[in-house]
Amino acid sequence: MGSTEKEWRDTAAGAAVARSVLSAEPADCIPLIGFGGTHYAARQTHIALNTRGAFGHISHTREVTSLDAAMIDQMRERTGAVAAYIDRKAIPGKDLARLEGLLSERRIRPLNEGDLMHFGDMSWETYMRVLSLAEQIVPGCRVNLHGQCPDGQPVKIDLDPLLLEEAWRCSQNEFLDGLDTLPLIRLSTQKKPVWPSFITIGENSGNVLHDLISLCVNIIRRGEITFVEGDHLTVFRHRFDPGRARSLGIPPGPLYGQLMNGCTVRVGDREVTPDMVRTRSEKRIHIPGLEKFL
């Protein structure tokens, strides 16, 4: 309503707030405690308005340094929070590391904005089952929600590692954007942003796997020279070979860049085309029922 006694005495504003509270309907929210940001909690407000995240206690950036374990316990207990949101950009690195340590000790899981945006209709209990299954598949991994996940039983689906590798190599952004259209959970670690095992929810795992394979096949075919034969997708790649360039008398330097960009160069009285300094490699991927994914 405001920050001074003048606003607090505004009966019309008070009545509007009261009517809003009385007319509000309980929702299936995810109770959170929040950390970081200003007094006005802009990021937390955005999350509360656009996701199922609901905040009780929020500690802004200036207060984070004075928090201790007992205070965080009270924040959780009095809010009924099941997780935390941290405005990471608003908290200095040293304070952020300390806060993350306190939350980890109390087994309070941080959720980022992307997780909350993709939570869909998934219950917290289902999310806990997802975490348990993910830990069995890749111990210590992080789960990344994509699409709008329904509620239900988590199911593991596996993608051919070679197919995943080629699609990821072609276009990481296109692959991740494609995942956002599917009810999928991606597993990642610090050194490996995507594992070939995914988690989906419910009984449609076969359809989800079909769509995932189609996504990979289409990314590869758009980005590379490919050949389809039966159930095999062959990917051809051409790579600039410095050894071939040197053997043709081309010194390292700007001419290498021109050849790599597809330009013909001249060395003395001889023209050298890009094809003359390329090597070709190929990978053959077996995809049962490939025709269905084209």
Side-chain angles (χ1 to χ4, degrees):
M1 287 176 56
S3 302
T4 69
E5 290 188 13
K6 179 182 178 181
E7 286 85 15
W8 300 341
R9 292 194 178 101
D10 187 334
T11 56
V17 171
R19 284 194 298 271
S20 297
V21 172
L22 292 171
S23 63
E25 295 183 4
D28 182 18
C29 64
I30 303 168
L32 303 169
I33 49 177
F35 301 91
T38 66
H39 174 73
Y40 294 100
R43 296 311 311 157
Q44 289 89 340
T45 299
H46 176 78
I47 287 170
L49 292 174
N50 292 280
T51 77
R52 286 167 52 207
F55 291 93
H57 291 287
I58 299 174
S59 172
H60 60 67
T61 298
R62 288 180 298 171
E63 295 172 335
V64 167
T65 56
S66 61
L67 290 175
D68 58 26
M71 295 170 72
I72 291 177
D73 284 340
Q74 288 189 51
M75 291 174 69
R76 173 172 59 178
E77 291 164 6
R78 297 184 182 186
T79 301
V82 296
Y85 168 77
I86 305 173
D87 186 351
R88 296 177 181 276
K89 293 182 179 179
I91 301 177
K94 182 179 178 181
D95 295 334
L96 178 60
R98 176 177 172 275
L99 173 61
E100 289 178 327
L102 288 170
L103 294 176
S104 177
E105 290 170 3
R106 329 222 82 58
R107 297 185 181 277
I108 301 174
R109 188 174 187 87
L111 295 178
N112 62 36
E113 190 169 336
D115 292 333
L116 291 162
M117 287 291 184
H118 291 296
F119 230 90
D121 295 326
M122 188 191 308
S123 67
W124 186 254
E125 291 73 19
T126 295
Y127 183 65
M128 289 293 100
R129 291 197 294 270
V130 166
L131 295 181
S132 177
L133 178 56
E135 186 64 22
Q136 295 174 35
I137 300 169
V138 183
C141 71
R142 168 174 171 73
V143 301
N144 307 270
L145 305 183
H146 293 274
Q148 291 292 315
C149 295
D151 200 28
Q153 183 62 36
V155 179
K156 171 176 172 278
I157 58 176
D158 293 309
L159 186 64
D160 184 299
L162 185 56
L163 179 62
L164 172 61
E165 177 187 331
E166 290 300 310
W168 184 256
R169 183 175 179 178
C170 280
S171 178
Q172 297 178 16
N173 289 336
E174 190 175 353
F175 181 77
L176 292 174
D177 288 344
L179 291 188
D180 283 343
T181 68
L182 303 175
L184 271 177
I185 296 156
R186 170 174 55 93
L187 309 184
S188 65
T189 54
Q190 188 171 6
K191 294 184 178 180
K192 195 169 183 177
V194 55
W195 285 73
S197 293
F198 296 79
I199 296 174
T200 188
I201 306 295
E203 300 176 354
N204 292 323
S205 58
N207 292 334
V208 176
L209 179 58
H210 177 280
D211 292 342
L212 181 57
I213 294 173
S214 294
L215 171 67
C216 292
V217 169
N218 287 315
I219 289 174
I220 294 169
R221 295 192 73 203
R222 282 194 295 269
E224 302 291 349
I225 300 171
T226 60
F227 176 72
V228 174
E229 182 180 16
D231 285 347
H232 290 87
L233 176 68
T234 303
V235 183
F236 300 99
R237 281 200 175 88
H238 294 90
R239 183 179 65 85
F240 172 72
D241 187 340
R244 287 192 176 187
R246 286 193 298 270
S247 70
L248 294 172
I250 303 173
L255 294 181
Y256 276 21
Q258 293 178 39
L259 288 165
M260 292 171 69
N261 289 328
C263 300
T264 297
V265 301
R266 193 169 191 85
V267 180
D269 59 355
R270 180 170 56 176
E271 284 190 344
V272 178
T273 66
D275 286 339
M276 296 168 66
V277 292
R278 285 176 178 164
T279 55
R280 191 179 87 161
S281 64
E282 62 180 66
K283 285 189 178 179
R284 188 173 167 88
I285 308 170
H286 179 233
I287 305 171
L290 175 57
E291 185 178 337
K292 298 181 297 183
F293 306 106
L294 300 177

